[in-house]
């Protein structure tokens, strides 16, 4: 397991329950991991940008499957370096990970495969971008082309703000990610996340979720990596799910395979549910964080089985994965200051937060020499619980959250509000 966040803790927790791994006498390693992951895996530190080093470690420990949690090593081609040495990997190749690594790549692929998404223009200079604004109406959606840790998207209400944002982007605000900027038509609707596993040929639906990206209650304030999520997203009905697979996911997987760069791993489609049907907002080439935490809470089957089937091109032989019919919710506890500069080092006492069946995934924690848990990142904990419906899940998640003693932390009190409002 490569990674150190709440997503990787949830994946490690689930993999630790794997019968396949146990049967093979297998062992879980994680790099760099975190104190929560350390309960399930032996943690060590390897620089994931040094592919030779990762390969050497895997060969030495005879690793049977590498799970790459975050997007950066995928976009950097780590999966290719491992596969070249015969090591099985859960995660796409560098070429296929461009779905997340380049907004322009994805928009052009949507054109070639006729996938519904917002109209767009690619621009490579400030002058060109400002001129291209004439073809769009406010609000203007401006995206740095490359990876920008989820911060590369600006929605500008008027032309002046749009021009200023473009100047910042081309001025280097997002580094190399902003050397090209995609301008998009603004789509109206509700957002939802859909997950699919694929080995490049077979596609298996792997759950839905809704995230809460803004830092404040009522979806106000700056964007974050996600302040809480629940699964399933009932707004993605079985009919809509079929439509998303047929019009968006399947043509993407087919197109990439046809072009000689098949996609393998989890494909995360960020969707806008518009009056004209579902449209693609963006693709991610890994599980969502914190969406993964709620998916893992509900997954009833052996995660390792499915990950291996993706890696070994045998997904067609697997039964449909089972998910508990109830609802899971996760509440992100963040350090004060997030998403700006979070306070580091705040003491945490988890108390008996897990007593009622909740699970506290670690996202940004460290253990002191004296055994005290401390905050070490922006998003610190993901308090996750299940219930028969959205209300029960919300009650359970917040009951557990309130037990956690984390004075320098904060959390949104309204995760799930849309679903609750729908009644
Ligand atoms: P992205 O990183 O592409 O997911 O964009 C971040 C957020 O910006 C999305 O979750 C949406 O809320 C919003 N967004 C992105 N593209 C559009 C669009 N074309 N129309 C409306 N909202 C968008
Ligand atoms: N929670 C949003 C993401 O993982 O991209």
């Amino acid at each position: 397991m490569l990674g150190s966040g709440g997503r990787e803790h949830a994946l490690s927790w689930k993999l630790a329950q794997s019968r396949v791994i146990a049967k093979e006498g297998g062992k879980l390693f994680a790099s760099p991991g975190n104190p929560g992951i350390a309960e399930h895996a032996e943690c060590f530190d390897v620089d994931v940008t040094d592919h030779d080093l990762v390969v050497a470690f895997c060969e030495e420990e005879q690793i049977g499957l590498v799970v790459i949690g975050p997007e950066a090593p995928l976009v950097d081609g780590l999966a290719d370096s491992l596969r070249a040495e015969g090591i099985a990997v859960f995660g796409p190749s560098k070429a296929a990970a461009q779905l997340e690594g380049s907004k322009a790549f994805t928009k052009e692929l949507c054109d070639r495969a006729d996938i519904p998404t917002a109209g767009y223009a690619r621009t490579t200079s400030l002058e060109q971008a400002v001129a291209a604004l004439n073809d769009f109406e406010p609000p203007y959606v401006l995206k740095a082309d490359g990876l920008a840790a989820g911060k590369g998207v600006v929605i500008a209400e008027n032309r002046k703000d749009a021009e200023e944002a473009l100047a910042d982007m081309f001025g280097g605000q997002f580094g190399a990610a902003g050397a090209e900027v995609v301008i998009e038509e603004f789509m109206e609707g509700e957002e939802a996340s859909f997950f699919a596993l694929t080995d490049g040929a077979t596609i298996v639906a792997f759950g839905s979720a809704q995230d809460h990206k803004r830092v404040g209650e009522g979806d106000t304030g700056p964007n974050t990596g996600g302040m809480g999520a629940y699964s399933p997203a009932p707004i993605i009905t079985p009919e809509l799910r079929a439509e998303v697979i047929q019009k968006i996911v399947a043509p993407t997987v087919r197109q990439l395979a046809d072009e000689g760069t098949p996609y393998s791993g989890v494909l995360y489609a960020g969707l806008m549910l518009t009056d004209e049907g579902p449209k693609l907002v963006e693709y991610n080439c890994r599980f969502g964080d914190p969406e993964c935490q709620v998916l893992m809470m509900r997954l009833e089957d052996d995660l390792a089985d499915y990950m291996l089937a993706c890696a070994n091109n045998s997904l067609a032989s697997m039964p449909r994965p089972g998910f508990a019919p109830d609802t899971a919710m996760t509440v992100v506890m963040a350090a004060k200051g997030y998403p700006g500069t979070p306070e580091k080092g705040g003491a945490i006492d988890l108390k008996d937060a897990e007593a009622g069946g909740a699970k506290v995934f670690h996202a940004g924690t460290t253990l002191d020499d004296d055994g005290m848990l401390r905050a070490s990142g922006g998003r610190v904990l993901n308090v996750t619980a299940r219930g028969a419906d959205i209300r029960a899940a919300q009650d359970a998640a917040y009951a557990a959250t309130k037990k956690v003693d984390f004075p320098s932390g904060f959390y949104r009190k309204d995760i799930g509000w849309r679903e609750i409002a729908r009644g």
Side-chain angles (χ1 to χ4, degrees):
M1 169 67 50
L2 298 177
S4 64
R7 166 182 50 211
E8 288 78 20
H9 185 187
L11 293 173
S12 301
W13 170 72
K14 198 71 198 164
L15 288 173
Q17 300 163 35
S18 165
R19 291 176 304 273
V20 199
I21 297 181
K23 202 172 80 201
E24 301 283 325
K27 183 173 164 186
L28 206 56
F29 290 90
S31 174
N34 68 35
I37 295 172
E39 289 173 19
H40 313 291
E42 184 178 319
C43 294
F44 65 103
D45 231 332
V46 64
D47 176 2
V48 291
T49 64
D50 187 338
H51 296 191
D52 290 343
L53 214 58
V54 182
V55 167
F57 176 86
C58 293
E59 286 177 340
E60 166 115 10
E61 296 292 345
Q62 299 183 322
I63 299 294
L65 177 72
V66 179
V67 177
I68 303 178
E71 62 276 15
L74 291 164
V75 172
D76 184 41
L78 180 59
D80 308 71
S81 301
L82 289 161
R83 285 195 186 107
E85 301 302 326
I87 299 163
V89 184
F90 180 78
S93 66
K94 178 174 186 154
Q98 283 187 84
L99 280 186
E100 177 162 2
S102 166
K103 309 262 183 208
F105 173 86
T106 299
K107 297 306 271 188
E108 294 193 336
L109 183 112
C110 287
D111 283 349
R112 294 198 294 282
D114 206 16
I115 292 166
T117 186
Y120 72 102
R122 287 179 71 165
T123 65
T124 50
S125 72
L126 180 57
E127 296 67 36
Q128 196 190 4
V130 168
L133 288 178
N134 296 332
D135 300 331
F136 294 85
E137 317 236 309
Y140 300 98
V141 180
L142 315 169
K143 301 186 176 183
D145 178 67
L147 287 187
K151 298 193 181 102
V153 177
V154 173
I155 301 194
E157 293 302 326
N158 56 54
R159 175 115 194 175
K160 180 171 159 285
D161 291 353
E163 290 187 10
E164 280 174 17
L166 287 170
D168 289 343
M169 286 177 163
F170 283 107
Q173 183 189 15
F174 301 115
E180 176 165 347
V181 173
V182 174
I183 304 178
E184 282 186 18
E185 168 205 352
F186 182 82
M187 296 185 284
E188 299 268 4
E190 189 167 333
E191 280 184 81
S193 306
F194 175 78
F195 299 86
L197 297 184
T198 178
D199 55 8
T202 301
I203 296 164
V204 170
F206 208 63
S208 62
Q210 277 184 300
D211 188 10
H212 299 63
K213 290 201 171 156
R214 304 293 197 95
V215 74
E217 268 108 40
D219 293 339
T220 53
N223 257 319
T224 70
M227 294 300 291
Y230 54 88
S231 172
I235 193 166
I236 304 194
T237 58
E239 296 74 36
L240 196 56
R241 179 177 64 197
E243 189 179 350
V244 168
I245 293 177
Q246 188 214 333
K247 294 193 177 149
I248 299 178
V249 178
T252 302
V253 169
R254 213 179 304 129
Q255 186 73 26
L256 286 170
D258 288 349
E259 293 177 7
T261 52
Y263 189 98
S264 158
V266 60
L267 186 55
Y268 161 178
L271 304 171
M272 190 69 82
L273 309 177
T274 76
D275 291 343
E276 297 157 13
K279 293 188 181 181
L280 181 71
V281 179
E282 61 159 2
Y283 271 130
N284 294 310
C285 63
R286 34 84 193 171
F287 280 109
D289 188 347
E291 292 93 324
C292 183
Q293 288 80 314
V294 282
L295 293 181
M296 291 306 120
M297 269 319 252
R298 292 182 49 236
L299 178 63
E300 289 172 328
D301 285 309
D302 196 322
L303 178 64
D305 261 339
Y306 285 87
M307 288 182 154
L308 282 164
C310 289
N312 301 330
N313 301 316
S314 58
L315 207 49
S317 65
M318 297 290 291
R320 265 170 59 162
F323 284 90
D326 54 1
T327 299
M329 180 178 290
T330 188
V331 176
V332 172
M333 298 187 84
K336 282 180 190 157
Y338 179 74
T341 307
E343 266 181 47
K344 274 214 163 128
I348 302 162
D349 185 344
L350 298 180
K351 305 271 186 157
D352 64 344
E354 294 190 339
K359 188 73 206 149
V360 181
F361 295 116
H362 293 228
T365 66
T366 53
L367 261 185
D368 257 2
D369 291 342
D370 56 8
M372 168 69 83
L373 198 60
R374 293 194 182 274
S376 66
R379 294 189 292 174
V380 177
L381 300 168
N382 311 139
V383 186
T384 314
R386 272 166 60 174
D389 57 20
I390 185 82
R391 272 177 204 282
Q394 192 188 51
D395 288 347
Y398 280 108
T401 304
K402 284 186 192 126
K403 288 185 188 165
V404 174
D405 187 15
F406 177 26
S408 65
F410 73 98
Y411 56 92
R412 266 180 70 163
K413 315 276 189 303
D414 65 343
I415 302 303
W417 69 270
R418 272 178 199 281
E419 210 44 57
I420 298 228
R422 270 192 277 267

